């Protein structure tokens, strides 16, 4: 047996493809800016905002968590628009809108003003992650998708890492209001650039070499045929858009089969079927509990570190960035492992289980700050490591045309978990249970999320889709002259 190239449609490794070199930086910057404007509230709260505005622990938690209620409501409709209309327009205008709202936070002075603005910020950010996952699924094969998604979601830990340092420094030299303003403006500029930089489909991009485009199209067509036969799929591809014409691709043969890049348009019944399917329902519950632990960790780590270490906000930012530095490395290693082996579920639950145990360990560490920080670092990297394989797994459970809705449904329940984690963890910190109780609470939810991964069967690996089975020639109709590309 010889391993099929994990690089997919490129002529060499992942980064040898024109698609990766062009699209991944754009997706990364977009998600990084979204995460910046979502998460800097935690630094502002620890950096003087809670004191200046006389926010109680419960009110502070409610303001932070209100973002996720807005995030929940726009997930599915926004993603359907991106999938059926335009990812480019959805991402660009959302980025501009959240930049305006993020900047506005620096001019507000009461909970009554902050709560609706945070809610609206969640609304305009809601569809961005699922829309970007949809975009990458059109441009990358299954063998590349784990790494593509991981590189996208690296915008999360890398942003939190430099956000902690930059935001702490901005507050030290000015105040929390200036931090919101300085960090909100770049999103407005970037949104305008996205209108020019992002293309919805490979057929729209004149910069993509013909050979690479042809091979990508063939491989995505093969994946759609394999998805129709997979026992683990949420919905078979024959159930989606039956009889609908494929969207035109300016550079394809007129008779070529529709692929992820230009799938038939799905109906309301198709969306209802995938949203009610057992795999999507189970993963929605799973992601709720995972997000509970994750966002409780992200939003309250700076305050917990500041209180436990006794350091100022600048040093707190540096210390809080430590778990995210390790998370970046582990995310890339785990996604590469998942792409090479074709294992998605096995690249998720062991990390979440270990992260839950590390959070429990931090509960028992109590006042021993060095030990608690070490365990929190382990917990952080373990909760981040599965993101790339996980979203590749979700998007592979349904065929093109409705896969974005599956991602949006799962991510929307993750938003509810994020709301619950952000609010309840902050609330628990204000009770006699304190920080130790808060991390114990997060640990239980993360452990539940690991267990729920066993409730979904992984789609059966097929030749040419995971890169770990012997190579077989693809059907002649989908082969191109570019198929003789090199290997990693």
């Amino acid at each position: 047996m010889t391993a099929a190239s994990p690089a997919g449609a490129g002529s060499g490794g992942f980064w040898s493809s024109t698609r990766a070199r062009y699209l991944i930086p754009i997706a990364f910057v977009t998600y990084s800016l979204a995460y910046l404007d979502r998460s800097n509230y935690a630094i502002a709260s620890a950096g003087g905002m809670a004191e200046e505005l006389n926010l109680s622990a419960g009110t502070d938690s409610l303001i932070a968590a209100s973002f996720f209620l807005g995030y929940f409501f726009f997930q599915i409709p926004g993603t359907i628009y991106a999938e059926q209309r335009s990812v480019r327009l959805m991402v660009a205008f959302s980025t501009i809108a959240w930049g305006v709202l993020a900047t506005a936070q620096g001019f507000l002075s009461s909970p009554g003003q902050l709560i609706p603005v945070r809610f609206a910020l969640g609304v305009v950010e809601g569809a961005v992650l699922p829309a970007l996952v949809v975009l990458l699924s059109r441009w990358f094969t299954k063998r590349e998708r784990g790494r593509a998604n991981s590189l996208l979601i690296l915008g999360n830990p890398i942003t939190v890492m430099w956000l902690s340092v930059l935001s702490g420094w901005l507050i030290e030299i000015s105040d929390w209001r200036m931090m919101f303003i300085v960090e909100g403006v770049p999103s407005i500029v970037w949104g305008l650039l996205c209108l020019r930089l992002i293309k919805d489909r490979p057929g729209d991009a004149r910069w993509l070499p013909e050979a690479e485009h042809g091979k990508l199209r063939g491989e995505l067509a093969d994946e759609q045929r394999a998805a129709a036969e997979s026992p683990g799929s949420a919905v078979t591809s024959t159930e989606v858009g039956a009889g609908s014409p494929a969207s035109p691709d300016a550079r394809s043969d007129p008779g070529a089969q529709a692929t992820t890049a230009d799938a038939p348009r799905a109906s309301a019944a198709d969306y209802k079927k995938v949203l009610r399917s057992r795999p999507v329902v189970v993963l929605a519950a799973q992601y709720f509990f995972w997000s509970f632990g994750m966002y409780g960790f992200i939003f309250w780590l700076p305050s917990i570190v500041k209180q436990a270490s006794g350091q100022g906000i600048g040093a707190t930012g540096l210390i809080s960035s430590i778990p995210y530095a390790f998370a970046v490395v582990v995310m890339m290693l785990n996604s590469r492992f998942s792409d090479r082996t074709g294992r998605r579920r096995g690249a998720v639950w062991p990390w979440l289980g270990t992260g839950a145990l590390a959070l429990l360990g931090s509960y028992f560490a109590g006042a021993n700050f060095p030990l608690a920080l070490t365990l929190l670092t382990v917990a952080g990297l373990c909760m981040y490591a599965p993101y790339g394989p996980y979203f590749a797994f979700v998007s592979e459970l349904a065929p093109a045309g409705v896969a974005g809705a599956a991602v949006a449904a799962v991510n929307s329940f993750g938003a509810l978990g994020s709301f619950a984690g952000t609010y309840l963890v902050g609330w628990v910190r204000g009770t006699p249970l304190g920080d130790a109780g808060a991390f114990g609470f997060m640990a239980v939810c993360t452990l539940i999320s690991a267990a729920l991964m066993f409730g979904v069967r992984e789609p059966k690996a097929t030749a040419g889709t995971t890169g770990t089975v012997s190579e077989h020639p693809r059907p002649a109709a989908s082969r191109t002259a570019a198929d003789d590309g090199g290997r990693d």
Side-chain angles (χ1 to χ4, degrees), residues 277-293:
S277 67
R278 183 179 180 276
V280 171
V281 170
V282 172
L283 287 176
Q286 186 273 341
Y287 199 49
F288 173 92
F289 287 104
W290 182 2
S291 297
F292 187 109

Side-chain angles (χ1 to χ4, degrees), residues 31-46 49 64 67-68 71 98 102 105 118 121 125 155-164 167-168 171 179-180 183 294-295 297-303 324 384 418 422:
Y31 191 55
S32 293
L33 289 172
Y35 218 81
L36 168 66
D37 292 329
R38 174 193 315 185
S39 302
N40 58 6
Y41 180 89
I43 301 293
S45 178
M49 183 179 70
F67 168 91
F68 295 104
Y71 197 77
W98 89 54
Q105 292 175 110
R118 293 290 299 175
L121 186 64
E125 274 195 35
N156 178 323
I158 289 179
T159 300
V160 176
M161 186 167 58
W162 63 259
L163 155 72
S164 300
S167 298
I171 291 174
M179 181 207 73
F180 277 134
E183 294 180 351
M294 173 63 79
Y295 279 89
F297 180 90
I298 291 170
F299 266 83
W300 299 113
L301 182 64
S303 295
Y324 304 104
Y384 271 106
S418 303
T422 304

Side-chain angles (χ1 to χ4, degrees), residues 227-228 230-237 239-240 270-283 393-399 402-403 405-407 410 456-459:
S230 172
S233 295
V235 185
T236 64
S237 61
E239 295 177 287
V240 178
D270 297 326
Y271 283 110
K272 184 180 294 186
K273 188 182 296 289
V274 75
L275 293 175
R276 289 181 175 180
S277 67
R278 183 179 180 276
V280 171
V281 170
V282 172
L283 287 176
F393 183 36
V394 176
S395 65
E396 290 160 8
L397 287 173
V402 293
V407 174
V410 170
V456 181
R457 181 169 53 182
E458 187 155 13

Side-chain angles (χ1 to χ4, degrees), residues 59-243:
T59 302
D60 199 11
S61 299
L62 181 60
I63 295 170
S66 60
F67 168 91
F68 295 104
L69 286 182
Y71 197 77
F72 169 78
F73 284 114
F74 198 56
Q75 287 276 301
I76 293 176
T79 304
I80 290 174
Y81 175 88
E83 197 161 45
Q84 298 297 321
R85 301 279 185 171
S86 174
V87 172
R88 180 179 71 92
L89 294 178
M90 172 59 64
V91 171
F93 288 118
S94 293
T95 306
I96 294 168
W98 89 54
V100 171
L101 290 165
T103 302
Q105 292 175 110
F107 299 97
L108 306 180
S109 57
S110 73
Q113 296 171 339
L114 282 166
I115 289 174
V117 170
R118 293 290 299 175
F119 178 87
L121 186 64
V123 168
V124 297
E125 274 195 35
V128 172
L129 177 60
L132 289 172
V133 172
V134 169
L135 182 71
L136 295 182
S137 73
R138 294 173 177 174
W139 287 81
F140 294 95
T141 67
K142 184 175 181 180
R143 290 180 300 208
E144 302 167 313
R145 228 164 272 153
R147 273 169 290 176
N149 287 334
S150 280
L151 288 163
L152 163 65
I153 299 171
L154 275 178
N156 178 323
I158 289 179
T159 300
V160 176
M161 186 167 58
W162 63 259
L163 155 72
S164 300
V165 178
L166 174 64
S167 298
W169 176 75
L170 285 172
I171 291 174
E172 280 197 334
I173 65 169
S174 55
D175 58 15
W176 60 270
R177 294 181 182 278
M178 185 56 65
M179 181 207 73
F180 277 134
I181 295 169
V182 170
E183 294 180 351
V185 170
S187 293
I188 301 172
V189 177
W190 183 252
L192 293 171
L193 289 174
C194 283
L195 286 170
R196 183 176 182 85
L197 295 174
I198 295 177
K199 301 297 181 184
D200 282 303
R201 292 176 174 81
D204 299 332
R206 298 305 170 190
W207 48 262
L208 184 65
E210 290 285 350
E212 189 173 340
H213 175 261
K215 184 173 184 182
L216 172 66
R217 187 176 178 81
E219 292 191 357
L220 291 176
D222 286 351
E223 289 179 8
Q224 287 300 294
R225 283 191 289 272
E229 302 168 359
S230 172
S233 295
V235 185
T236 64
S237 61
T238 56
E239 295 177 287
V240 178

